[in-house]
């Protein structure tokens, strides 16, 4: 039985598209589909979903634990950034979406292509 609509984009393709956008600095709407990453909107939605699910926080913790166990981190050069510290007067302080998630000119996603 066929399912309605297009097949979901594999996570690996989305990750490659996300990395391409982050590496080149292009806008989500400018992601070249001919490279096989599908649309920038698809990649943008996927990274938002992963961030909300805590995927990157978990990955960061795992990598730090593995690097620390292998004695590959020079902790004498480590710095704690103020945005990650709980404050007594204001409670827990968290940042909103990372700046690379903010598409140009709109807060909800890449601008729609004009027909």
């Amino acid at each position: 039985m066929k399912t309605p609509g297009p097949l979901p984009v594999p996570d690996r393709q989305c990750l490659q598209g996300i990395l391409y956008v982050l590496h080149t600095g292009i806008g989500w709407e400018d992601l070249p589909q001919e490279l096989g990453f599908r649309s920038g909107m698809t990649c943008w939605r996927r990274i938002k979903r992963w961030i909300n699910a805590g995927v990157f926080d978990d990955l960061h913790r795992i990598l730090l634990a593995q690097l620390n166990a292998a004695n590959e981190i020079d902790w004498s050069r480590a710095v704690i950034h103020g945005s990650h510290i709980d404050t007594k007067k204001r409670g827990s302080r968290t940042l909103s979406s990372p700046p690379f998630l903010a598409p140009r000119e709109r807060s909800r996603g890449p601008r729609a292509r004009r027909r």
Side-chain angles (χ1 to χ4, degrees):
M1 182 168 127
K2 274 188 146 180
T3 59
L7 293 173
V9 178
D11 287 341
R12 186 178 192 99
Q13 269 186 309
C14 280
L15 180 60
Q16 289 173 330
I18 290 163
L19 293 174
Y20 186 87
V21 168
L22 296 177
H23 179 74
T24 61
I26 64 172
W28 293 105
E29 66 277 3
D30 298 325
L31 184 64
Q33 291 186 23
E34 58 271 10
L35 295 178
F37 304 138
R38 305 283 179 97
S39 77
M41 186 64 177
T42 298
C43 294
W44 181 81
R45 280 193 304 259
R46 189 74 53 94
I47 194 171
K48 289 285 286 183
R49 188 180 325 146
W50 289 342
I51 287 172
N52 291 338
V55 170
F56 295 104
D57 290 335
D58 292 344
L59 179 60
H60 186 235
R61 280 189 208 85
I62 291 166
L63 288 173
L64 280 178
Q66 289 180 353
L67 290 171
N68 188 49
N71 202 23
E72 292 290 326
I73 298 177
D74 180 5
W75 289 108
S76 68
R77 299 178 57 100
V79 181
I80 296 176
H81 190 279
S83 65
H84 299 286
I85 299 173
D86 288 344
T87 60
K88 291 184 180 188
K89 290 184 180 180
R90 290 183 164 171
S92 178
R93 181 174 172 218
T94 58
L95 296 176
S96 59
S97 297
F100 62 82
L101 280 182
R104 296 181 208 153
E105 301 177 26
R106 288 184 56 180
S107 61
R108 299 206 68 203
R111 64 178 170 226
R113 297 210 185 263
R114 300 202 174 157
R115 295 177 195 233

